[in-house]
Amino acid sequence: MFDCAIIGAGLAGLTAARDLVRRGLDVVVIEARDRVGGRVENGILADGQYVELGGQWIGSGHDSIAELVNHYGLKTIGNPSTGHLMVRLRGKAKALPSSEETSELTPFEVADLGSGLVRLRRLGQRLREDEAWAKANHVWLSQDLTRWVKTNLRTVGAQKRFKKVYQTAFGPLEEGTTLQEGLMEVNSGPDLEGMLASNGGLNQLRVEGGVHALTEAMADELGDRVRLGSPVVRVEHGPESGTLVLADGERVEARHIISTLPPKLAVKLEHEPPLAPWRAETAEKVASGNVIKAYLVYDHPFWREGGLSGQSSADDGPVRVTFDTTTGENRRGLLMGFFEGADADSLSKRSITLRKRAFVDSVVRTFGDVAAEPLEYVERDWSAEDYTGGCHGAHFAPGVWTANGPVLSESEGVLHWAGAEYSGRFNGYMEGAVRSGLDAAAVVALHLA
Ligand SMILES: Cc1cc2nc3c(=O)[nH]c(=O)nc-3n(C[C@H](O)[C@H](O)[C@H](O)COP(=O)(O)OP(=O)(O)OC[C@H]3O[C@@H](n4cnc5c(N)ncnc54)[C@H](O)[C@@H]3O)c2cc1C
């Protein structure tokens, strides 16, 4: 019998396994796919160059994943180019200095936004640390977050900018999202002030060779403790030990189990005893999002010749943002973009040729005819992946995070939870996955001590 059996060889599962092995415990990682990494994956282009099809950027405060990157001697690379940002609004494309969005705010608006963020962060801290205050102010904390923004940020410019930064960090600011939910997101998520700084935001660093190189290094170290191509179909968890039943009928017994499946996948697995009903209800209300990450490959990064960064945003079309992900010298130009939400939903049912055309049309409207003839198109439709079920990460509907978010990661006897969606900090990010893996391993180690 193993000390611990871990379901899933993504960042959370590999981190937990590595930590338990370092504590001298006997571990097995059961992975459904025939590769490790989960939502971190490399694609290979015709010339052998890699592109990152899943998680890619490490941002400020992502210290646990940065530590792993360092440990395995992997190098990090910054964003490749500086230059103007292309913005396409109401059909008209315009180049703007990349800092212009911030400088569009008047000094008064900047001060207004700054003090609003500080107030929000202080409230978040209070909510985290002072349970009696949270209880006493329950009704006030239930007010609409957008209402709080309107009353606390005096200028329209600051209110608009706040909404944009919030959406980038946590997903759409939906009607019905309460101040308390906003504060919990702020407590768990990235550094909002950092995101406002033009060079200190979320998308700071990449790993040379892709984050997939990190997951491969971790899996190499774990050796034959990682078993690929072995979907778990049933989890049995008793008071003293648990059993994973695999698709081929094999039974893997362990004293503890760590499940790293995103909530929606986790509740689809058969569990004995069954999981608490609130888990299924929570999973039901967690939209996993729909993202197709796509690349256009050009002979060279043509945008740089015009003083452009390759970064663009648009108010229409299926691909509304692009980034230059060209690496190294003398490489082909890589323009990465996302099909998201309803556009991704409808286009994922169509052909790859049509999606390529839609992406090319979008970048031609932004960058001009020079973008019309890419050499190659590569994509990953994450909603079509049975063992992921939508991406980037889960997005909690209003009320769900407040009610069940913090307890999602609570153990049920010998069954423990890890994964980006279970993390109290950097929820939904690779950093959250790593931290949750460390937390779950610490809990298991404590039980076995
Ligand atoms: C397109 C995209 C872009 C992203 N960009 C970023 C970014 O730039 N920065 C960032 O920080 N984050 C980003 N993310 C999010 C990040 O990739 C994830 O948060 C993180 O990789 C999740 O790791 P995890 O271990 O929690 O889950 P996963 O990686 O999903 O791991 C779960 C594992 O369980 C396996 N599994 C599923 N079902 C079974 C089963 N029945 N039996 C056995 N195994 C099973 C899966 O195959 C998988 O390997 C992005 C994600 C996507 C998709």
Side-chain angles (χ1 to χ4, degrees), residues 97-331:
S98 51
S99 59
E100 184 160 328
E101 261 195 306
T102 319
S103 62
E104 256 176 7
L105 299 178
T106 64
F108 186 60
E109 287 168 331
V110 172
D112 186 21
L113 181 61
S115 64
L117 287 177
V118 169
R119 216 170 304 142
L120 203 67
R121 192 158 296 292
R122 282 207 194 118
L123 282 174
Q125 195 182 350
R126 186 109 200 236
L127 182 71
R128 202 171 48 220
E129 293 169 0
D130 191 345
E131 214 174 308
W133 174 85
K135 269 195 186 138
N137 289 281
H138 175 68
V139 174
W140 181 75
L141 285 165
S142 313
Q143 69 174 290
D144 225 72
L145 177 59
T146 42
R147 187 170 153 244
W148 183 89
V149 172
K150 272 197 185 137
T151 9
N152 284 271
L153 300 179
R154 308 280 158 79
T155 57
V156 175
Q159 289 169 5
K160 278 193 182 154
R161 183 82 179 133
F162 173 88
K163 208 169 157 196
K164 202 161 177 196
V165 173
Y166 185 94
Q167 281 181 346
T168 311
F170 312 120
L173 180 45
E174 288 177 46
E175 188 106 344
T177 301
T178 64
L179 171 60
Q180 179 160 356
E181 280 158 355
L183 294 175
M184 288 167 97
E185 293 274 30
V186 167
N187 282 343
S188 77
D191 168 16
L192 289 183
E193 293 86 334
M195 287 182 68
L196 283 168
S198 48
N199 292 320
L202 262 187
N203 308 335
Q204 257 179 348
L205 291 176
R206 294 166 54 203
V207 176
E208 206 169 83
V211 182
H212 194 62
L214 171 64
T215 55
E216 287 200 317
M218 293 167 85
D220 282 351
E221 196 176 80
L222 290 165
D224 57 15
R225 293 181 187 91
V226 180
R227 292 179 48 182
L228 301 178
S230 309
V232 173
V233 292
R234 180 178 162 90
V235 180
E236 297 168 359
H237 52 115
E240 300 296 329
S241 65
T243 303
L244 301 183
V245 183
L246 311 190
D248 63 3
E250 186 185 341
R251 297 171 68 81
V252 176
E253 294 184 1
R255 296 166 74 194
H256 286 268
I257 292 169
I258 299 178
S259 172
T260 72
L261 309 192
K264 272 209 160 158
L265 290 188
V267 298
K268 274 195 201 152
L269 273 195
E270 210 182 309
H271 286 78
E272 187 52 46
L275 294 175
W278 65 262
R279 277 197 187 271
E281 283 157 23
T282 303
E284 211 27 61
K285 290 180 191 140
V286 173
S288 21
N290 198 356
V291 168
I292 302 171
K293 187 171 178 180
Y295 288 85
L296 290 173
V297 184
Y298 293 92
D299 176 60
H300 64 286
F302 63 82
W303 48 91
R304 293 183 187 177
E305 289 158 7
L308 301 177
S309 65
Q311 198 170 333
S312 72
S313 65
D315 63 351
D316 68 359
V319 179
R320 298 190 184 197
V321 290
T322 63
F323 298 90
D324 176 359
T325 61
T326 311
T327 13
E329 296 295 319
N330 305 320
R331 297 286 185 107

Side-chain angles (χ1 to χ4, degrees), residues 8 11-12 31-33 38-39 55-57 232 391-392 419-420 428-430:
L11 273 169
E31 168 56 49
R33 288 178 164 109
R39 278 172 272 173
Q56 165 169 356
W57 282 299
V232 173
C391 270
H392 304 250
Y429 289 87
M430 297 187 290

